[in-house]
Amino acid sequence: MSFFTNTYWIKRIAISISLLIVSFILWNTYVFFQKFKNEERAKMELFAAAMKEFESNKDLNASFNLEFKVFENIENIPTILVDKDGNIKQFHNLDSIKSKEAEYLQQQLAIMKKQNEPILLEYLNVKEYIYYRNSDILYKLKYYPLALVLILGLFLIIIYMVYKSNKVAEQNKLWTGMAKETAHQIGTPLSSLLGWIAILRTENISSDYVDEIEKDVRRLNTIANRFSKIGSLPELKQHNIVAVTKTAFDYLENRSSKQISFSFNAEKDEILSNLNTELYGWVVENLIKNAIDAMLGKGSLTLHLKETPRHVKILVTDTGKGIPKSQFSQIFKPGFTTKKRGWGLGLSLSKRIIEDYHNGKIHVLKSELGKGTTFEILLNKV
């Protein structure tokens, strides 16, 4: 049996034991509640007998010590005594101030009628009824299971959040390790390719071909550097964001379908911002690639840089299929993708690069189904 199978069964057994413990506690609480309620009923019946004895005994010299002890025994149980016509004659253990109001007494009487059956008090051809409600202790005992369930629920939520956090941390560690290992593996053939390019330059081969090969090798080197930076805090330096953005834009324009119209606009030739050029360029490329995919290789793509007093805005607009509003936030979650082939990591990684590493913002500015989408990146100026 594998480790994962063992873990699965351990979780199921732990959950089953937890449910049994909770069920046992709730059942015992219910049994204790019923027992305590019956004891209060017995006290009230004894109280009724004592009152009957007290009211029917007209001997002024008689001792009523026993009756008074019975009265003291119900000092935590609110009671109301009514006559056969329903008029309130006496009350015990109610709020002394509120009890001066008839409306309060009627409200308490209504509660008592719902909770318990009245006890008949009959003496000297007089019929009266004793109503009572549950004591404060019984009230607390009644809601104890609910409090217990809430506490257990909160405890389970905390356990789940800790488990989820650990799981996410493990996944991040795994992805970071894979990224760094990928960068390491790419490094070896890159070094070899650079050597072959040097040899090709000595041969009778068109320099245009060699230059294009060298561009792609440099591109691979950039990709390797990007992967190597995942999981570690990158160094930010002051750069002209217009030039860096234009470089990433031009690279994909030259390697994309000629049926796509590319347009790059910037309000200034130079806008300074603190950047890690390799990671920032990765974000721009991700947005452009997603736009190309959304247009199915045919349409119009515009990248516009705007300047505000404190920020620079990078707007990437396409004429693709658009994104439903319900998915505006979901598309940045790891694993979410609408493509048949895709890992759903591009936008998630872009969000992390912009917001965690560059202290900026990235979001869907607007989108309309069948007409296109605009993504906005907001970064601080120097």
Side-chain angles (χ1 to χ4, degrees):
M1 187 177 290
S2 67
F3 169 77
F4 295 103
T5 305
N6 285 330
T7 303
Y8 171 77
W9 280 107
I10 289 172
K11 289 179 181 178
R12 294 200 64 175
I13 292 171
I15 293 172
S16 300
I17 292 174
S18 300
L19 290 175
L20 286 174
I21 292 173
V22 172
S23 301
F24 178 76
I25 293 174
L26 294 178
W27 171 252
N28 276 276
T29 303
Y30 172 77
V31 171
F32 186 69
F33 176 82
Q34 293 299 324
K35 182 179 179 180
F36 201 80
K37 189 176 180 69
N38 292 335
E39 288 182 358
E40 286 196 351
R41 180 74 180 185
K43 287 181 180 180
M44 291 306 303
E45 290 176 349
L46 186 61
F47 171 71
M51 283 198 66
K52 180 178 179 181
E53 181 66 23
F54 183 79
E55 295 290 344
S56 61
N57 195 333
K58 300 303 180 181
D59 185 358
L60 298 177
N61 295 319
S63 174
F64 295 100
N65 290 334
L66 180 61
E67 286 79 357
F68 286 130
K69 288 183 178 179
V70 172
F71 295 161
E72 292 174 357
N73 197 36
I74 63 155
E75 63 181 1
N76 63 337
I77 304 176
T79 62
I80 294 179
L81 178 67
V82 301
D83 60 22
K84 63 179 180 179
D85 297 322
N87 299 314
I88 298 175
K89 293 185 63 180
Q90 298 179 29
F91 56 85
H92 299 278
N93 306 321
L94 291 174
D95 191 297
S96 58
I97 298 176
K98 293 183 179 179
S99 297
K100 296 178 182 179
E101 301 175 5
E103 185 179 355
Y104 171 75
L105 292 175
Q106 290 298 329
Q107 289 175 350
Q108 293 297 310
L109 182 59
I111 294 172
M112 294 175 183
K113 287 181 178 180
K114 288 181 180 180
Q115 289 187 356
N116 299 291
E117 290 292 328
I119 299 174
L120 175 62
L121 183 61
E122 190 173 5
Y123 61 94
L124 302 177
N125 296 323
V126 176
K127 285 187 177 181
E128 295 177 336
Y129 298 90
I130 299 176
Y131 288 91
Y132 69 99
R133 65 173 172 81
N134 299 333
S135 64
D136 292 339
I137 296 176
L138 203 58
Y139 262 120
K140 292 177 182 178
L141 188 62
K142 180 180 180 180
Y143 292 106
Y144 169 74
L146 178 60
L148 178 65
V149 170
L150 290 175
I151 291 171
L152 288 174
L154 181 62
F155 182 68
L156 290 174
I157 289 172
I158 293 173
I159 291 176
Y160 173 77
M161 291 177 66
V162 171
Y163 169 77
K164 192 74 175 178
S165 177
N166 289 337
K167 188 175 181 181
V168 170
E170 289 177 0
Q171 289 177 343
N172 288 339
K173 189 175 181 180
L174 176 62
W175 287 115
T176 300
M178 290 179 63
K180 290 184 179 296
E181 179 62 20
T182 301
H184 176 71
Q185 294 293 336
I186 292 176
T188 302
L190 276 178
S191 300
S192 177
L193 285 171
L194 289 172
W196 283 109
I197 289 173
I199 294 174
L200 289 174
R201 289 195 181 280
T202 63
E203 302 293 331
N204 189 22
I205 297 176
S206 173
S207 60
D208 293 338
Y209 297 156
V210 178
D211 289 343
E212 288 301 315
I213 294 173
E214 188 173 14
K215 286 180 182 178
D216 286 333
V217 171
R218 287 176 181 173
R219 168 70 177 175
L220 287 173
N221 188 57
T222 299
I223 293 172
N225 288 334
R226 289 172 179 174
F227 277 106
S228 68
K229 287 179 171 61
I230 294 178
S232 57
L233 192 64
E235 183 181 1
L236 303 182
K237 293 183 179 180
Q238 191 176 113
H239 290 281
N240 179 9
I241 194 171
V242 178
V244 176
T245 306
K246 188 70 166 62
T247 299
F249 182 87
D250 290 343
Y251 178 83
L252 288 179
E253 180 183 9
N254 296 331
R255 287 161 175 76
S256 300
S257 171
K258 300 305 178 183
Q259 292 183 314
I260 297 178
S261 173
F262 284 81
S263 176
F264 183 92
N265 302 308
E267 294 180 346
K268 285 186 176 181
D269 292 334
E270 183 179 61
I271 303 174
L272 298 180
S273 180
N274 288 323
L275 302 171
N276 180 282
T277 57
E278 291 171 339
L279 293 181
Y280 169 73
W282 197 355
V283 174
V284 174
E285 291 173 13
N286 278 335
L287 294 182
I288 294 175
K289 287 178 181 177
N290 284 342
I292 293 171
D293 291 340
M295 295 185 292
L296 301 177
K298 185 178 181 180
S300 176
L301 189 150
T302 302
L303 195 152
H304 192 187
L305 275 85
K306 294 181 178 181
E307 185 183 25
T308 68
R310 296 179 58 187
H311 302 96
V312 55
K313 295 180 179 179
I314 303 94
L315 305 176
V316 179
T317 304
D318 64 62
T319 57
K321 57 186 179 181
I323 303 171
K325 287 186 177 180
S326 59
Q327 295 181 0
F328 277 17
S329 59
Q330 288 182 310
I331 59 174
F332 291 102
K333 293 181 179 179
F336 183 87
T337 180
T338 57
K339 303 174 185 177
K340 292 183 179 180
R341 294 181 179 180
W343 289 75
L345 295 175
L347 288 177
S348 173
L349 191 59
S350 298
K351 185 178 181 68
R352 183 171 182 178
I353 290 171
I354 294 298
E355 297 189 357
D356 293 349
Y357 294 163
H358 289 81
N359 296 318
K361 294 289 182 183
I362 180 171
H363 63 278
V364 180
L365 183 63
K366 60 181 180 179
S367 184
E368 189 173 350
L369 294 177
K371 292 188 176 181
T373 301
T374 298
F375 280 87
E376 181 183 63
I377 300 173
L378 188 68
L379 294 175
N380 296 320
K381 288 172 53 180
V382 174

